[in-house]
Amino acid sequence: MHRAWFVAAVTFVTIIGAAAFASLPGLLIEPLHEEFDWSRGTVGFAVSVNLALYGLTAPFAAALMDRFGIRKVVALALLVISGGTVATLWMTASWQLVLFWGVLVGLGSGSMALAFAATVTNRWFTARRGLVTGILTAAGASGQLIFLPLLSWLVVHHGWRPAAVTVALAALVVVPFVWLLLRDHPADMGLAPYGGTYAEKPAPAPGAARRAVTVLFKAARTGPFWLLAGTFAICGASTNGLVKTHFVPAAHDHGMPVTAAAGLLAVIGVFDVVGTIASGWFTDRFEARRLLAVYYALRGVSLMFLPMLLAPSVHPPMLFFIIFYGLDWVATVPPTIALCREHYGEDSAIVFGWVLASHQVGAAVVAFLGGLARDAFGSYDLVWYASGALCAMAALMAMVIRRRPATPAAAA
């Protein structure tokens, strides 16, 4: 077996361990509201800061990986996640939640974002990039599957603090795996990328922040960048910002127990693994922009039906929604990365980092506005319908992206 698959496996485990933090925000809204009397909009604001920094950090993290190596950047990010989560145990004011969970965990998690998976894929694989991207993207869903039931049980029976400690420990445990087992480049092992030819390891790229900004300005002069950023912003709004943050409290509003609602999110994680890996396989074989259009259209239809399905207990139509939506959860990632690679070549990981930033800004906006809408209208119905309409817009935007003939630079 080529060493690249071993590196991909270590990356998969790392993303799973770091995924615990992404499982917690939706479980924190009600406990923090009850203990500190903070409004859902206040808690949603802290989550929105976390989500925004998660995205805005990603392109700089990709550039830092080029400068200092993957191992150092990822190990430090995991330590920051762990420290920020532990610090929330002693908070007494809402600004501390924003600082610890929003800023520290947001910065750390941004360095563990999908730009990490894109960087590993670009360096270690020439063949099977779509499939590997799908597998590594699915790692986040696998982490959700592992941690959500445990964290929801801890929150219900022991409070939110033991759940926060669990998140911190999960991030900390992964650090030795990253430091001892991950390698930055195939040339470190005297190997060629999987399916490619041997190339010397490039010299460290100085000026990581400057390069990230330079790549942004260069990409911003092209139409595909704005279309990809716009569609991915809607992707974030309709997944992390909406469902991951507000599904549990929305289901609880209809009388569903928190553990049952969290279990449904975990089931979304199960089918997300299947859908994302399948999407990677499809991306290697079909036109990426058409795949995106189909994914967004189907997601929009499913969200339009959700307000009619929420009930005190789990019933077959709700299970159908969970399966259908789960297959589509982050299936958009492999074709989005493929389009970045097609249009931006060797800068594609950093460009994708900026596209991911738009994803998280969209998620942040809806995480905040969703909480405000719940406080103002007493339900989330308006947010579900609006997100469904946005997905329809994203489907149209995806079809507008023009194809670019493959070139040696773009295929690298």
Side-chain angles (χ1 to χ4, degrees):
M1 182 179 294
H2 194 283
R3 177 78 181 194
W5 294 107
F6 180 79
V7 172
V10 174
T11 304
F12 186 90
V13 172
T14 303
I15 295 174
I16 286 178
F21 69 84
S23 304
L24 198 54
L27 303 176
L28 288 179
I29 293 178
E30 291 299 327
L32 294 179
H33 172 68
E34 293 174 3
E35 179 173 337
F36 298 104
D37 199 29
W38 297 337
S39 71
R40 294 171 181 84
T42 298
V43 180
F45 176 71
V47 175
S48 72
V49 171
N50 175 288
L51 292 172
L53 287 177
Y54 177 101
L56 293 172
T57 305
F60 295 97
L64 286 171
M65 288 176 191
D66 287 342
R67 175 68 178 86
F68 298 105
I70 297 173
R71 288 195 305 166
K72 293 179 181 178
V73 174
V74 173
L76 179 60
L78 290 167
L79 292 174
V80 172
I81 291 171
S82 182
T85 306
V86 167
T88 62
L89 301 179
W90 294 280
M91 66 184 178
T92 57
S94 59
W95 68 265
Q96 294 168 332
L97 176 65
V98 175
L99 174 62
F100 299 145
W101 186 264
V103 176
L104 291 181
V105 176
L107 289 173
S109 59
S111 301
M112 287 293 305
L114 292 173
F116 171 40
T119 300
V120 170
T121 304
N122 286 351
R123 290 187 183 182
W124 282 89
F125 291 86
T126 299
R128 305 298 185 192
R129 280 177 168 174
L131 177 62
V132 175
T133 300
I135 293 172
L136 296 183
T137 303
S142 300
Q144 176 178 298
L145 166 65
I146 292 169
F147 288 107
L148 254 178
L150 171 62
L151 294 177
S152 64
W153 182 85
L154 287 173
V155 168
V156 170
H157 293 92
H158 300 285
W160 63 270
R161 287 179 177 84
V165 171
T166 302
V167 169
L169 290 176
L172 202 58
V173 164
V174 181
V175 173
F177 287 92
V178 172
W179 194 256
L180 298 175
L181 301 177
L182 197 61
R183 293 294 179 268
D184 289 327
H185 196 277
D188 292 338
M189 310 296 297
L191 298 173
Y194 179 80
T197 56
Y198 180 81
E200 292 292 338
K201 182 178 179 179
R210 183 172 62 253
R211 184 184 175 209
V213 174
T214 300
V215 169
L216 169 63
F217 281 111
K218 181 180 176 181
R221 293 195 293 268
T222 66
F225 174 79
W226 292 107
L227 291 169
L228 288 169
T231 56
F232 224 41
I234 293 172
C235 178
S238 56
T239 53
N240 292 0
L242 181 61
V243 175
K244 185 171 283 188
T245 304
H246 294 294
F247 178 80
V248 171
H252 191 57
D253 283 346
H254 287 76
M256 184 179 293
V258 170
T259 51
L264 289 176
L265 275 185
V267 174
I268 286 178
V270 175
F271 287 94
D272 177 29
V273 173
V274 177
T276 307
I277 294 176
S279 178
W281 188 86
F282 290 145
T283 302
D284 285 332
R285 290 160 175 80
F286 301 104
E287 191 177 346
R289 67 190 185 106
R290 295 185 184 277
L291 290 175
L292 283 181
V294 172
Y295 295 157
Y296 285 121
L298 293 177
R299 183 184 300 175
V301 171
S302 66
L303 287 173
M304 290 287 190
F305 280 97
L306 181 57
M308 296 177 281
L309 302 178
L310 292 169
S313 60
V314 180
H315 49 87
M318 172 58 80
L319 286 176
F320 179 79
F321 166 83
I322 293 297
I323 295 170
F324 187 87
Y325 183 86
L327 291 170
D328 197 298
W329 176 268
V330 286
T332 55
V333 173
T336 299
I337 291 179
L339 286 168
C340 287
R341 190 179 297 122
E342 174 184 325
H343 286 275
Y344 303 105
E346 62 183 10
D347 291 330
S348 62
I350 297 177
V351 172
F352 178 69
W354 285 113
V355 172
L356 179 62
S358 72
H359 180 282
Q360 294 307 114
V361 169
V365 170
V366 171
F368 178 53
L369 293 182
L372 289 183
R374 171 61 178 80
D375 290 334
F377 303 113
S379 78
Y380 287 100
D381 288 359
L382 179 63
V383 186
W384 302 122
Y385 293 130
S387 295
L390 285 174
C391 288
M393 183 186 302
L396 295 176
M397 292 169 65
M399 289 304 300
V400 176
I401 300 173
R402 294 182 177 179
R403 296 189 62 183
R404 178 178 178 179
T407 63

